[in-house]
C-alpha cells in the first residue's frame, strides 16, 4: 500500500523517535550519582551505638575483671601504705587502671583483630568519615569504664579513709583519660603488623599504667619517672589524686586535665591516621 503522508512529515515523525531512543540509551549507560558522604556527628553517633550494642555482652564480664583487679591491688597496697600522699596515689592509680584495662588493652586487641580478619574492609565501604569509626569505637569502649572506675574510687576512699567530697572530678577524669588511652590503644592495634603483636602491645600498655600509675611517684627511680610523665593516663591520675586533698589546688588540677585533653586529641588524631593507613592496604 502506498503511504499518503508526505516525505517531510514522515521524517519529522521518525526524528523524535530516534532522539528518544538515543536519550534512553544514554540514560542507561550514564552512572547514577553517588549519595552525599555522611556528616561526622551523625556518623559518630551511629558507630557509637553500634559498637555499644555489640560490645555490651562481651565486655561487661571483662569490666568486672578490671574492677576486681583494681580493688585487689588496693587491698594488697593497704598492708604497706597507711595514708597520706601514697594512699591518694594508690587509689587514683587503681581507679584509672580500670580505664587503661578497657580503653587501652581491649581496644588494641579489637582493632588488631579487625585488621587481621579483614573487618576494616567493611568499615572502609561505609560512607562515613574515618574519624567517626575511630571516635565511635573509642567512645564505646571508654563508656564501659564508668561504673568500674566509680566503684573503685569509692571503695578505695573507704579503704584508705580518704574524703569523697571532690570525687565529682571523675566526671572529667574518666572521659579525658579514656580519650587519651583509647586513642593510644586504637593506634597500637592499627599499626601493629600482626594481631598477636597488637595484643602484646595492649598488655604492655596496661602493665605500664599499672606500675607507673599505682606506685607513688616519689618512690620511682629517675628514668622510670620520666617514662611516667610520657604515659597519657598519668595526668588523669594526678588530677584525681589532688582532688583527695582537703583544699585541692584547682589550678593544678585543671592543668593536669588540660594536658590529658591535649594528649587525648593527639592520640585520637594518630589513631585516625593509622585507620586510614590500614584501610587502604
Amino acid at each position: 500500500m502506498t503511504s499518503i503522508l508526505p516525505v517531510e512529515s514522515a521524517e519529522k515523525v521518525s526524528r523524535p523517535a530516534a532522539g528518544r531512543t538515543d536519550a534512553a540509551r544514554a540514560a542507561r549507560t550514564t552512572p547514577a550519582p553517588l549519595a552525599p558522604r555522611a556528616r561526622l556527628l551523625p556518623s559518630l553517633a551511629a558507630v557509637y551505638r553500634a559498637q555499644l550494642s555489640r560490645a555490651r555482652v562481651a565486655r561487661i564480664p571483662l569490666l568486672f575483671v578490671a574492677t576486681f583487679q583494681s580493688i585487689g591491688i588496693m587491698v594488697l597496697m593497704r598492708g604497706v601504705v597507711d595514708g597520706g600522699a601514697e594512699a591518694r596515689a594508690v587509689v587514683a592509680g587503681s581507679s584509672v587502671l580500670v580505664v587503661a584495662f578497657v580503653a587501652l588493652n581491649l581496644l588494641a586487641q579489637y582493632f588488631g583483630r579487625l585488621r587481621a580478619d579483614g573487618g576494616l574492609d567493611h568499615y572502609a565501604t561505609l560512607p562515613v568519615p574515618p574519624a567517626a569509626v575511630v571516635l565511635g569505637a573509642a567512645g564505646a569502649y571508654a563508656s564501659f569504664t564508668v561504673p568500674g572506675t566509680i566503684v573503685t574510687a569509692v571503695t578505695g576512699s573507704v579503704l584508705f579513709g580518704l574524703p569523697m567530697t571532690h570525687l565529682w572530678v571523675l566526671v572529667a577524669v574518666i572521659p579525658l583519660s579514656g580519650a587519651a588511652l583509647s586513642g593510644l590503644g586504637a593506634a597500637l592495634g592499627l599499626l601493629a603488623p600482626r594481631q598477636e603483636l597488637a595484643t602484646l602491645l595492649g598488655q604492655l600498655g596496661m602493665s605500664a599504667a599499672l606500675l607507673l600509675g599505682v606506685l607513688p611517684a616519689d618512690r620511682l627511680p629517675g628514668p622510670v619517672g620520666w617514662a611516667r610523665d610520657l604515659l597519657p593516663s598519668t595526668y588523669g591520675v594526678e588530677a584525681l589524686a589532688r582532688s583527695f586533698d582537703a583544699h585541692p589546688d584547682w589550678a593544678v588540677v585543671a592543668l593536669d586535665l588540660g594536658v590529658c585533653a591535649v594528649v587525648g586529641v593527639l592520640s585520637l588524631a594518630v589513631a585516625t591516621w593509622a585507620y586510614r593507613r590500614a584501610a587502604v592496604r
Side-chain angles (χ1 to χ4, degrees):
M1 179 182 294
T2 304
S3 173
I4 62 175
L5 291 176
V7 176
E8 294 181 358
S9 299
E11 291 179 354
K12 290 180 181 179
V13 171
S14 62
R15 285 173 186 172
R20 286 195 296 269
T21 304
D22 294 340
R25 187 181 299 110
R28 288 195 299 267
T29 57
T30 303
L34 297 176
R37 194 174 185 86
R39 292 176 297 174
L40 175 61
L41 292 181
S43 302
L44 174 60
V47 174
Y48 174 80
R49 289 194 300 267
Q51 289 290 337
L52 201 63
S53 61
R54 286 187 57 190
R56 183 181 294 118
V57 177
R59 302 307 175 206
I60 286 180
L62 295 174
L63 178 60
F64 279 110
V65 172
T67 306
F68 181 78
Q69 170 186 264
S70 296
I71 293 176
I73 290 172
M74 291 190 299
V75 172
L76 291 176
M77 295 296 292
R78 184 66 180 84
V80 295
V81 174
D82 294 329
E86 295 178 348
R88 294 192 290 270
V90 169
V91 175
S94 300
S95 301
V96 177
L97 180 61
V98 179
V99 183
F101 182 86
V102 178
L104 194 160
N105 183 26
L106 297 184
L107 197 59
Q109 297 181 30
Y110 172 73
F111 274 109
R113 185 175 67 255
L114 272 185
R115 182 178 181 182
D117 297 342
L120 290 180
D121 297 337
H122 166 70
Y123 286 105
T125 59
L126 298 177
V128 297
V133 178
V134 175
L135 293 176
Y141 274 71
S143 298
F144 282 104
T145 67
V146 174
T149 305
I150 294 175
V151 169
T152 302
V154 171
T155 304
S157 300
V158 174
L159 190 63
F160 288 90
L162 299 177
M164 292 185 282
T165 307
H166 306 297
L167 277 184
W168 55 265
V169 174
L170 288 172
V171 174
V173 171
I174 293 176
L176 294 179
S177 299
L181 293 173
S182 296
L184 179 59
L188 292 177
L190 291 168
L191 294 175
R194 298 177 56 186
Q195 180 181 357
E196 296 80 8
L197 186 57
T199 301
L200 176 62
L201 292 175
Q203 292 283 352
L204 290 176
M206 189 197 68
S207 300
L210 167 61
L211 296 175
L212 302 179
V214 174
L215 296 178
D218 55 357
R219 298 289 186 90
L220 299 175
V224 180
W226 301 336
R228 183 178 185 271
D229 294 335
L230 297 176
L231 191 66
S233 60
T234 297
Y235 302 96
V237 172
E238 291 292 337
L240 182 57
R242 296 180 195 278
S243 69
F244 289 118
D245 294 338
H247 301 285
D249 189 345
W250 295 114
V252 180
V253 172
L255 179 61
D256 289 331
L257 293 175
V259 173
C260 196
V262 171
V263 174
V265 171
L266 293 177
S267 63
L268 289 172
V270 172
T272 303
W273 169 81
Y275 170 80
R276 291 196 184 97
R277 178 176 178 271
V280 299
R281 288 192 171 188

